[in-house]
Amino acid sequence: MLSVATIASQCSNGGSDNDELSVTEAEKAYIKRLQSEVAKAEKERAYGPKYAPAQLARELFPFDPNHADSATLRKLGLSEWQTFNMMKYRRRGGRWRSPDDFKRLYGLSNRDFERLRPYIRIAEADRRKPFVAFDEHPYGQPKGEKPDYKHQEKLSEGTTIELNSADTTLLKQVPGIGSYYARKIVNYRERLGGFISTSQVSEIEGLPAGVSRWFTLEHKANVKKLRINHANFKELVRHPYLSYEQTKAIANHVRQYGPIHSLQELRLYREFSSADLERLAPYLRFD
């Protein structure tokens, strides 16, 4: 009697004129089915262990799925591929926030989860925080409720304020100036050292035209001057009237040749024009 392999070989070769073997169509179908089952069995043997379900240990022990190493997980009886997926999930920032979350582990049966559930420990830092309702409205006022805005009084035409001493509250009384531009004026004044002319306000980008008419200057003597020979690079370049290249020229001069004694020394550098030196003059000290 010929084996299945021999018959299959003969079928695949189509037979020969000298062969005495005669195979019916039913036998061919049976052989084809056998070959399919054999291939399926070989595939299951090759891949079965890799994707095998968990085989939990008889004696379980407490473990933290967020921090246990692969050896610990394998000792519990989790399969190799389950352990690999857990480690991959953790590397990507995933966490189990409660013992019940572990139920979602792919390939873990309900029966196995119920056995593991009493041994699962989740660290306090990884636990899901309880929901706390907001007393206020975190996404703005609900429809139908209007916020209570206080009306900002503005100066009447002909009224002025002192530019070097005005705070943001007073500056917001100027028509066309709100909180944003009030802060910009104060910040520019601090960087400058103080205003010596009301026209300098127009150097601040975005202010309405003619805004200088709302200001007066009574404290020009209080302008803070920059000690050019003692200020560091950061302090110098912060001044609105000094560019990066100009600051570098000053720093290099002081380092190589010593203190600068007057504006005339800066005229030697192409970085400084006559207009630059003229507007810098009230803000520099050479002592």
Side-chain angles (χ1 to χ4, degrees):
M1 181 176 180
L2 296 176
S3 65
V4 173
T6 303
I7 296 174
S9 177
Q10 291 292 340
C11 290
S12 62
N13 293 332
S16 64
D17 295 339
N18 297 328
D19 291 335
E20 297 179 357
L21 178 64
S22 177
V23 182
T24 65
E25 293 298 325
E27 290 172 329
K28 290 181 180 179
Y30 173 71
I31 293 170
K32 188 175 182 180
R33 186 169 65 254
L34 284 178
Q35 289 176 325
S36 177
E37 292 177 356
V38 169
K40 183 178 179 181
E42 290 178 350
K43 186 176 180 180
E44 289 178 350
R45 283 198 300 272
Y47 296 99
K50 184 176 180 181
Y51 296 99
Q55 299 291 331
L56 298 187
R58 291 185 178 182
E59 295 185 7
L60 299 176
F61 49 87
F63 72 101
D64 187 337
N66 293 314
H67 301 282
D69 57 23
S70 57
T72 300
L73 297 173
R74 295 286 287 141
K75 189 176 180 180
L76 286 165
L78 296 177
S79 64
E80 180 181 353
W81 67 272
Q82 286 174 320
T83 303
F84 174 81
N85 286 341
M86 287 180 64
M87 293 299 178
K88 183 178 180 181
Y89 175 71
R90 280 161 41 175
R91 284 196 300 272
R92 292 181 176 180
R95 288 292 183 271
W96 287 273
R97 301 298 183 184
S98 70
D100 290 333
D101 286 351
F102 197 67
K103 188 177 183 179
R104 298 197 300 267
L105 179 64
Y106 184 74
L108 186 67
S109 67
N110 289 335
R111 180 180 178 183
D112 288 340
F113 170 73
E114 293 300 331
R115 285 189 60 200
L116 286 171
R117 176 66 175 78
Y119 299 94
I120 299 174
R121 305 288 186 268
I122 304 296
E124 183 65 31
D126 296 322
R127 291 180 185 176
R128 185 177 289 105
K129 301 298 184 292
F131 172 77
V132 178
F134 286 99
D135 293 333
E136 299 180 356
H137 307 292
Y139 303 107
Q141 293 288 338
K143 189 175 181 180
E145 296 184 17
K146 295 182 179 180
D148 183 20
Y149 293 115
K150 292 184 178 180
H151 177 68
Q152 178 66 58
E153 295 290 340
K154 294 294 184 179
L155 298 177
S156 58
E157 193 67 42
T159 308
T160 58
I161 60 176
E162 209 288 317
L163 183 56
N164 276 337
S165 60
D167 58 13
T168 55
T169 302
L170 192 55
L171 289 169
K172 285 190 292 184
Q173 296 181 19
V174 176
I177 296 180
S179 299
Y180 175 74
Y181 285 110
R183 287 194 300 271
K184 288 194 72 171
I185 292 173
V186 171
N187 291 339
Y188 192 76
R189 184 176 67 197
E190 290 177 353
R191 290 175 57 205
L192 197 59
F195 294 101
I196 61 170
S197 170
T198 57
S199 62
Q200 288 175 286
V201 176
S202 61
E203 297 170 2
I204 302 172
E205 185 179 357
L207 289 180
V211 71
S212 60
R213 74 181 188 276
W214 299 101
F215 301 112
T216 58
L217 283 173
E218 299 173 4
H219 305 292
K220 293 182 182 180
N222 295 334
V223 170
K224 182 180 179 181
K225 295 190 176 185
L226 191 62
R227 299 184 69 189
I228 192 172
N229 293 311
H230 298 276
N232 58 38
F233 192 94
K234 185 177 180 181
E235 291 170 337
L236 290 170
V237 79
R238 187 174 181 269
H239 197 280
Y241 291 168
L242 284 173
S243 67
Y244 176 83
E245 294 299 328
Q246 291 171 337
T247 302
K248 189 164 65 172
I250 292 172
N252 289 338
H253 182 103
V254 172
R255 184 176 65 254
Q256 295 176 12
Y257 306 111
I260 299 172
H261 300 94
S262 69
L263 287 175
Q264 297 303 319
E265 295 182 42
L266 295 179
R267 292 184 186 276
L268 301 174
Y269 295 96
R270 59 182 177 82
E271 288 83 1
F272 293 93
S273 66
S274 297
D276 293 334
L277 296 175
E278 184 178 350
R279 68 175 186 169
L280 271 171
Y283 294 103
L284 297 183
R285 290 173 53 183
F286 300 95
D287 55 339

